[in-house]
Amino acid sequence: MEKQGKASALLPIIVFLVLFLGVGGITGDFNNIPAIAAFLVALSVAFLQNRNVGFNDKMKLAAKGVGDENVIIMCLVFLAAGAFSGAVTAAGGRDSTVNFCLSILPPGVAVMGLMLIGCFISLSMGTSMGTISALAPIAVGISEKTGFPMVLCMGAVVSGAMFGDNLSMISDTTIAATRTQGCEMKDKFRENFKIVLPAAIVALVLYGVMTMGRDVVLEESYAYNVFQILPYLVVLIGALAGVNVFIILIGGTILSLIVGVATGTIALPELFVGMGSGINGMYDITVISIVVACIVALVKNNGGIDYLLSFIRRKIKGETGGEFGIAVLTLLVDMATANNTIAIVMAGPIAKEISDEYGISAKRTASLLDIFASVGQGLIPYGAQILLAASFTELSPVEIVPYTFYPMLMGVSALIFIFFIKGKKKVKSKGKSY
């Protein structure tokens, strides 16, 4: 007999959304309430529910949720990714990668080039924010010197940044999506890539058409060091080859430190400073993942997950309906939280239940989670990516959104795959994800 669950068990999640959106809406700034603070309030509400279970038993349930293998590994990989990002940036890898891409950029396709460079950098770095930080000032300069509209240049930068944020092996969204679904990164990448490639190609064509016929000359010379780019390439190739992602990240971190010392960008007394800064940058999402795991464990014990699944079963039918349900769920959570990684961490356990129910493969589910979280994040004007891009200009975030072609097309492409191109049915896993 199907478990109906209890709608009241979802109260902690509702409290989080109301609190987060309410404060952000009233103040006009969603940074005024840190996500972790809102989640702690939601966790407190979860502990106050269900008087039939003692407080100590609730603590054990929460601890059991945190102790889940996927949660622990996800947190460790978050920290390893932070260490690599900090080390390779300190070694000069980010600046060299940007300059290398700009040095081979044909001036006449500058806006297309901005997206292409953004794709490569974000795929290598695993961060849309880092990509925008690196490319946005350059995009401003290109716009001023070429006459290309600023909104178009910034739209191209955000589009390229969201490409790698969604696909990169060291992106926190990829880590969260694969760990919540229990699939290998290389399998998720292959499934994800074939869905988003058409969107990337069409977006590039659109940027090319909109800037066609202009003669442009860029006079700057961009210095780079190939050795500083090497750690990115090693991590990317190793991850695609299926090397344990934790091992490849630690190896990439060590290689970055060696390159930094050898090229003189890292002094020996400051060998681990950049690495530590990168790890610090991952603390928030790591702690949030732990708190969300506690909330989900209590919500599930109180019947919240069963209620959602029962509701979804009444509204959708079959594999296609299940995939569409995962897409809508993820998109709505991202629009509510304005953070694609948090959206995946929150929606992941429910998506796992849906995929189990309808026989959707883990790699397909992980791809849909990552894609639609990125779709939302690339289009909401109050999201960190759009806000950061706008901060380098006098533009309003709302003005940039219509020109972020890639996130829009990514959503369209994913919907075509959901309704017309079926994925392989899920098979039982023969091993661990890492």
Side-chain angles (χ1 to χ4, degrees):
M1 183 177 178
E2 180 182 306
K3 294 181 180 180
Q4 297 299 314
K6 295 180 180 179
S8 60
L10 298 173
L11 182 60
I13 297 175
I14 295 171
V15 166
F16 165 77
L17 295 177
V18 171
L19 188 61
F20 187 81
L21 291 176
V23 174
I26 293 171
T27 63
D29 184 357
F30 287 88
N31 292 320
N32 277 339
I33 177 167
I36 184 60
F39 275 121
L40 281 174
V41 174
L43 179 60
S44 300
V45 172
F47 274 119
L48 291 174
Q49 288 186 299
N50 195 353
R51 296 183 179 180
N52 294 325
V53 179
F55 185 79
N56 288 336
D57 290 330
K58 291 175 183 176
M59 289 290 287
K60 291 178 181 178
L61 284 168
K64 187 176 180 180
V66 175
D68 180 87
E69 175 188 354
N70 288 324
V71 175
I72 295 298
I73 294 178
M74 179 169 62
C75 290
L76 289 175
V77 174
F78 278 149
L79 296 177
F84 170 71
S85 177
V88 75
T89 300
R94 186 181 75 172
D95 293 338
S96 277
T97 300
V98 172
N99 288 344
F100 169 74
C101 292
L102 287 171
S103 69
I104 61 174
L105 171 67
V109 291
V111 177
M112 288 179 64
L114 283 171
M115 180 179 167
L116 278 172
I117 294 170
C119 290
F120 178 74
I121 295 172
S122 59
L123 194 62
S124 302
M125 294 172 60
T127 166
S128 54
M129 296 294 285
T131 301
I132 294 171
S133 296
L135 269 186
I138 295 169
V140 171
I142 288 176
S143 175
E144 292 173 347
K145 294 175 183 178
T146 63
F148 290 140
M150 187 73 74
V151 287
L152 203 59
C153 292
M154 284 301 168
V157 170
V158 174
S159 290
M162 296 313 300
F163 179 84
D165 193 295
N166 168 236
L167 277 175
S168 176
M169 297 291 188
I170 58 174
S171 167
D172 48 5
T173 60
T174 296
I175 295 166
T178 54
R179 288 316 312 175
T180 57
Q181 303 310 306
C183 69
E184 293 190 16
M185 284 190 174
K186 63 179 181 179
D187 293 333
K188 182 263 185 187
F189 178 88
R190 291 165 183 163
E191 180 74 14
N192 203 152
F193 185 73
K194 69 182 182 183
I195 296 174
V196 302
L197 181 60
I201 293 173
V202 174
L204 283 169
V205 170
L206 285 175
Y207 287 123
V209 169
M210 295 184 73
T211 56
M212 189 179 296
R214 298 201 186 192
D215 294 325
V216 179
V217 178
L218 296 177
E219 298 178 352
E220 289 88 348
S221 59
Y222 298 98
Y224 62 89
N225 187 317
V226 174
F227 291 107
Q228 292 173 343
I229 304 173
L230 186 61
Y232 283 132
L233 297 177
V234 169
V235 168
L236 182 61
I237 294 170
L240 285 172
V243 178
N244 180 298
V245 69
F246 191 78
I247 293 175
I248 197 64
L249 284 172
I250 296 300
T253 302
I254 295 171
L255 179 59
S256 298
L257 295 175
I258 293 172
V259 168
V261 172
T263 57
T265 54
I266 299 178
L268 276 175
E270 300 175 352
L271 187 62
F272 300 106
V273 173
M275 180 177 165
S277 298
I279 294 172
N280 289 339
M282 285 293 188
Y283 280 172
D284 280 356
I285 189 58
T286 302
V287 174
I288 285 172
S289 298
I290 292 171
V291 175
V292 169
C294 293
I295 295 172
V296 170
L298 293 171
V299 167
K300 184 174 184 178
N301 183 72
N302 294 339
I305 304 298
D306 287 333
Y307 174 81
L308 277 176
L309 292 176
S310 177
F311 177 83
I312 289 170
R313 290 188 189 102
R314 293 194 301 268
K315 299 296 181 181
I316 62 179
K317 302 294 181 183
E319 180 184 357
T320 298
E323 291 185 357
F324 184 67
I326 291 169
V328 172
L329 171 68
T330 308
L331 184 59
L332 290 176
V333 176
D334 182 77
M335 291 173 65
T337 60
N339 186 301
N340 46 346
T341 307
I342 293 175
I344 292 170
V345 171
M346 288 183 69
I350 301 170
K352 177 66 174 171
E353 299 282 355
I354 296 173
S355 65
D356 288 342
E357 173 72 16
Y358 294 102
I360 305 167
S361 69
K363 62 183 180 181
R364 179 87 157 194
T365 304
S367 296
L368 292 175
L369 278 169
D370 207 340
I371 287 170
F372 281 95
S374 295
V375 168
Q377 200 63 24
L379 295 178
I380 52 176
Y382 52 88
Q385 286 80 356
I386 300 292
L387 290 173
L388 179 62
S391 71
F392 288 93
T393 71
E394 296 181 357
L395 298 170
S396 160
V398 177
E399 293 179 277
I400 297 175
V401 169
Y403 296 91
T404 55
F405 298 144
Y406 175 69
M408 302 178 198
L409 293 166
M410 180 166 50
V412 172
S413 181
L415 288 175
I416 291 173
F417 269 76
I418 287 173
F419 289 105
F420 301 107
I421 304 175
K422 299 303 175 187
K424 293 181 179 179
K425 287 287 185 177
K426 184 179 66 173
V427 294
K428 291 184 178 180
S429 176
K430 295 181 180 180
K432 301 296 183 185
S433 300
Y434 288 91

